[in-house]
Amino acid sequence: MQFEFETDRFPLIRARYFKSVSEKRAVRVIVIHSMEAPEKGDTAENVARYFQNPDPNKVSAHLCIDNNSIVQCVLDNDVAFAAPGSNHDGIQLELAGYAKQTRADWMDPFSILVLENAANAAAQYCLKYNIPVRHLSNEELRLGQKGLVGHVQVSAVYHKSDHADPGEGFPWDHFIERVQYHHAQRANKLANG
């Protein structure tokens, strides 16, 4: 089942660097990143504006997410420059916070809202691109399976970057559970008109 929608048409602050794609892109993975930026209510907007600036690294992401907003920087079908090795077949989600955060830090009141917003967005992408709601192992990523991964896994599998986000403390179990919840809610709504 595939749906033709531009997620929830989040507010757009278009990134400077991305690859425009005219044919339908085959998306296989949703890559989770930590922004390495403070937990504040305007972090999504601030990082999105950062992606508009000239940068020798030419970085971007599809979405920037904080506790109260989701900002789109690269349209779904275009390629964001965030995780070399999984850029062409990935959707890149940047979450407010740091890779050094512990599980407790990710489960604090601010980050719970970040995770909820990210889970809602990830569920939409899973529906749109027929991606199963599951956290892939490095081997499953290497074998070309569909699912959700962290940037650290893309670095480990493809050896094109050294990023370790979203960090060892990222609560994958909680996050996947919330993606499953939103996925079921949206699938039911789509099925019932």
Side-chain angles (χ1 to χ4, degrees), residues 4 8 47 49 67 75 96 101 104 124 149:
E4 298 301 324
D8 256 348
V47 171
R49 283 191 287 276
N67 67 324
L75 296 179
Q101 289 181 194
Q124 292 179 57
V149 298

Side-chain angles (χ1 to χ4, degrees), residues 65 100 105 160 168 179 184:
I65 302 167
K100 67 182 180 185
D105 294 334
K160 294 183 178 186
E168 292 181 18
V179 177

